[in-house]
Amino acid sequence: MAGAQPGVHALQLKPVSVPESLRKGNKFMKWDDDSTTVTPVTLTVDPKGYFLYWTDQNKVRHTEAKLRELLDVSTLAGKMENRMLTVVSGPDMVNITYLNFMAFQEEIAKEWAEELFNLASNLLVQNMSREACLEKAYVRLKLQLNPEGRIPVKNIFRMFSADRKRVETALENCNLPSVCPLLSVLL
């Protein structure tokens, strides 16, 4: 085959692109397999595509009697099974977690399923550089801000729990508050 370039057509690496609809978020119902509580949430993906997160619409928890009503509302568009979205995650193939969501429209569930699969299967994400790993850690900390809009020191220690002494030294070198006596008891 004259002019053919080996491997060029086999794999095209594309940078991560998070669609605007995932960054803005959509309304879903969330529930756990082991409970009967259903919570209305807004499901969102951070702009870099590192994390899927949700915020509670209201703090009201529903009892088992309401569960069926909430999940099978006749005014919702489409079949219930076509509105379901289950996200499976974990550090390995054994220790996995299931997150169950139900969209209010089939199109929304389909879009989220396709886009989350694209993000999860992106080879550039699976083989991140050191800088990208540090950026991911920073994004995770920024998603866990306290009510004052600050990153709690305990979250930094939890993230880097294997290297506590280095974290203390780094915080001291940056003139940031490090461990207070109460925090060391909690950690």
Side-chain angles (χ1 to χ4, degrees):
M1 298 176 98
Q5 298 175 3
V8 172
H9 302 289
L11 181 63
Q12 295 280 328
L13 296 178
K14 296 179 183 174
V16 173
S17 173
V18 180
E20 181 69 22
S21 58
L22 271 66
R23 287 182 282 164
K24 280 185 169 181
N26 287 104
K27 293 186 188 313
F28 284 81
M29 300 301 280
K30 181 186 181 306
W31 76 95
D32 298 318
D33 284 336
D34 58 346
S35 78
T36 58
T37 59
V38 177
T39 308
V41 298
T42 299
L43 194 59
T44 313
V45 175
D46 73 277
K48 297 288 187 171
Y50 294 132
F51 297 101
L52 172 73
Y53 61 100
W54 56 92
T55 52
D56 235 334
Q57 294 296 309
N58 55 27
K59 301 293 182 192
V60 177
R61 296 287 181 176
H62 300 278
T63 62
E64 186 173 347
K66 290 259 187 177
L67 179 65
R68 187 164 185 82
E69 293 172 21
L70 283 168
L71 292 179
D72 199 29
V73 178
S74 60
T75 59
L76 297 177
K79 293 181 180 179
M80 188 165 91
E81 60 268 17
N82 293 340
R83 293 183 274 129
M84 299 296 182
L85 177 68
T86 298
V87 178
V88 182
S89 64
D92 52 45
M93 298 298 280
V94 176
N95 301 304
I96 56 177
T97 304
Y98 297 93
L99 299 171
N100 301 302
F101 300 96
M102 185 187 73
F104 290 92
Q105 297 157 354
E106 284 184 26
E107 304 82 38
I108 299 293
K110 183 178 179 183
E111 176 189 14
W112 274 80
E114 289 172 1
E115 294 299 339
L116 288 176
F117 182 79
N118 289 339
L119 288 171
S121 60
N122 185 307
L123 290 176
L124 290 177
V125 172
Q126 295 175 12
N127 299 290
M128 282 194 278
S129 66
R130 281 186 222 148
E131 291 82 12
C133 287
L134 288 172
E135 182 181 47
K136 182 177 179 180
Y138 177 70
V139 169
R140 182 174 183 180
L141 287 171
K142 290 288 287 181
L143 289 173
Q144 301 171 346
L145 298 177
N146 64 15
E148 292 86 36
R150 296 182 177 172
I151 298 171
V153 174
K154 67 180 180 180
N155 291 357
I156 297 171
F157 280 107
R158 281 187 194 142
M159 181 173 282
F160 303 106
S161 60
D163 214 351
R164 183 181 174 90
K165 188 62 180 162
R166 269 188 154 162
V167 172
E168 288 175 2
T169 304
L171 289 171
E172 287 172 10
N173 289 341
C174 295
N175 294 323
L176 294 171
S178 59
V179 182
C180 66
L182 179 59
L183 182 60
S184 60
V185 171
L186 296 174
L187 296 173

